[in-house]
Amino acid sequence: MTTTTKLSPGQQAPDFTLPDASGKDVSLQDYRGRRVVVYFYPKAATPGCTTEACDFRDSLDSLNAAGVSVVGISPDPVEAIASFADDFSLTFPLLADDGAAVAKAWGAWGERIRNGEVVEGILRSTAVVAPDGSIESIDYNVNPDGHVAALRENLGV
């Protein structure tokens, strides 16, 4: 199994450039100067991932009004995230991390339990990146139910 090192607040966030649902490249550098939530989810259109994405969608106006952007990343191909975005009216960028290199660099990859089995994959994780590109906060193995509400509370939004 692949072992990844988890990030900590204060560290510089690893940069990335990944394709979004339309195939356009999106970079972490695009968000310099503002706070951005970068969240990793295992698989588009699965129950937990849909709950989390829809919670971000429903909170997007208040997050944006507070100067916070949202970016979701999964190992799904562009076609899958495009369908996911269309099916659930997700208007924030979803990025395709084919091969999970970005998830591994962010410590969001490792062993997890799925259907009672230990598997290797995405660890549902959420980071808040400060305007200077440093990690403000990061949580691993988050529960999709209520996660966005708790994040908003921590952000004061």
Side-chain angles (χ1 to χ4, degrees):
M1 295 263 173
T2 303
T3 303
T4 60
T5 302
K6 296 194 177 354
L7 300 178
S8 301
Q11 286 183 273
Q12 199 63 19
D15 199 15
F16 59 77
T17 300
L18 295 169
D20 68 7
S22 69
K24 176 184 162 235
D25 281 347
V26 174
S27 172
L28 182 59
Q29 290 293 323
D30 299 340
Y31 295 92
R32 272 298 164 103
R34 75 183 274 139
R35 290 164 100 188
V36 60
V37 170
V38 177
Y39 82 97
F40 293 86
Y41 63 98
K43 187 164 179 56
T46 56
C49 296
T50 300
T51 295
E52 187 175 29
C54 290
D55 282 352
F56 274 117
R57 177 201 63 206
D58 296 346
S59 298
L60 197 59
D61 286 344
S62 61
L63 288 165
N64 287 167
V68 180
S69 297
V70 175
V71 175
I73 300 176
S74 79
D76 293 307
V78 169
E79 299 77 21
I81 62 172
S83 293
F84 186 38
D86 287 344
D87 291 349
F88 295 96
S89 302
L90 304 174
T91 56
F92 56 89
L94 297 178
L95 308 181
D97 184 17
D98 187 26
V102 173
K104 291 172 184 172
W106 283 64
W109 184 269
E111 290 184 5
R112 60 188 180 98
I113 306 288
R114 185 177 69 199
N115 300 327
E117 289 183 38
V118 176
V119 297
E120 187 175 38
I122 292 287
L123 305 175
R124 189 182 307 279
S125 307
T126 302
V128 177
V129 180
D132 67 359
S134 65
I135 301 288
E136 192 174 307
S137 66
I138 191 159
D139 295 302
Y140 294 98
N141 295 312
V142 299
N143 184 330
D145 294 318
H147 171 62
V148 175
L151 177 65
R152 288 181 58 199
E153 185 175 320
N154 290 341
L155 291 170
V157 176

